[in-house]
Amino acid sequence: MRKIVLFLACSLFVGNTLFAQAKFGYINSDELLSIMPEVRKADSSLQLFAKSYQDQLEEMGKEYQRKVQDFQGQEKNMTEAVKEVKIKEIQQLEERIQSTQQSAQEKVARKKEELYSPILEKADKAIKDVAKANNYDYVFDASRGNILYAKESDNILPLVKTKLGIK
């Protein structure tokens, strides 16, 4: 029994010592991105891209307001058939506005991905290069709490799968 306790104590000591020797670092990726000139250029480009859709939606909104006001002002003098046609026109315009808004959001999101992807890749590569060059075992992102870099080590997934009986 003493041998088992001694063995466990030694194992814990060795494990803690090895873990204590690991070199940790951190970076605030939000701060890094905020000082990269490419981000300012991408933000400016994205704002111009989004503005064109915003202007289009504002025009559609004005048209919608005009149609609603016209309808409300003339509703008493309209026949039921004309009312139905006017209501349908307004509903179709509402649908076009919603469709355009959804399409614009999707296109702006794709444009943002297109603009930011190379910037994020550049930042990620720089972080990994610095970590490797300075022998960091782990680098954490202080703004998100994620591990941005981890030293290559044994993947224990096959061992865990075996333990769980998963093939």
Side-chain angles (χ1 to χ4, degrees):
M1 183 69 164
R2 284 185 191 176
K3 289 181 182 180
I4 293 173
V5 172
L6 183 60
F7 176 73
L8 286 174
C10 287
S11 296
L12 287 174
F13 177 73
V14 170
N16 285 340
T17 303
L18 291 175
F19 187 72
Q21 292 175 357
K23 190 172 179 183
F24 296 90
Y26 71 92
I27 186 168
N28 185 323
S29 64
D30 289 344
E31 185 178 341
L32 172 65
L33 291 174
S34 73
I35 60 174
M36 291 179 71
E38 296 95 332
V39 171
R40 285 190 284 282
K41 184 178 176 186
D43 284 344
S44 176
S45 188
L46 188 63
Q47 285 174 352
L48 286 174
F49 185 76
K51 176 113 174 72
S52 65
Y53 289 108
Q54 182 180 355
D55 292 345
Q56 181 182 2
L57 286 165
E58 284 177 10
E59 279 302 313
M60 291 174 85
K62 289 176 185 176
E63 180 184 351
Y64 175 80
Q65 289 298 323
R66 279 192 303 272
K67 284 190 183 247
V68 169
Q69 288 173 351
D70 288 346
F71 176 78
Q72 289 172 342
Q74 299 173 4
E75 181 180 11
K76 293 177 184 173
N77 302 330
M78 294 180 189
T79 65
E80 285 303 313
V82 173
K83 280 184 186 179
E84 287 179 25
V85 169
K86 295 291 184 181
I87 289 173
K88 192 168 189 159
E89 284 179 12
I90 291 171
Q91 288 173 339
Q92 287 173 340
L93 182 56
E94 282 178 354
E95 290 171 5
R96 278 197 353 250
I97 290 171
Q98 289 173 351
S99 175
T100 302
Q101 192 169 31
Q102 182 178 359
S103 175
Q105 288 172 343
E106 292 169 0
K107 289 177 181 175
V108 168
R110 279 196 301 269
K111 184 70 169 179
K112 183 176 182 177
E113 173 77 24
E114 175 188 316
L115 292 171
Y116 277 84
S117 188
I119 297 168
L120 295 173
E121 288 173 12
K122 180 179 179 180
D124 186 56
K125 183 180 180 328
I127 291 166
K128 288 178 179 173
D129 289 348
V130 167
K132 287 177 186 175
N134 291 284
N135 294 319
Y136 283 100
D137 294 310
Y138 301 95
V139 175
F140 295 90
D141 186 348
S143 64
R144 291 178 184 80
N146 299 332
I147 296 177
L148 297 178
Y149 173 80
K151 198 174 200 177
E152 290 295 321
S153 60
D154 291 337
N155 181 358
I156 66 166
L157 179 61
L159 299 172
V160 174
K161 283 172 47 178
T162 301
K163 174 78 174 166
L164 295 172
I166 301 172
K167 292 186 180 187

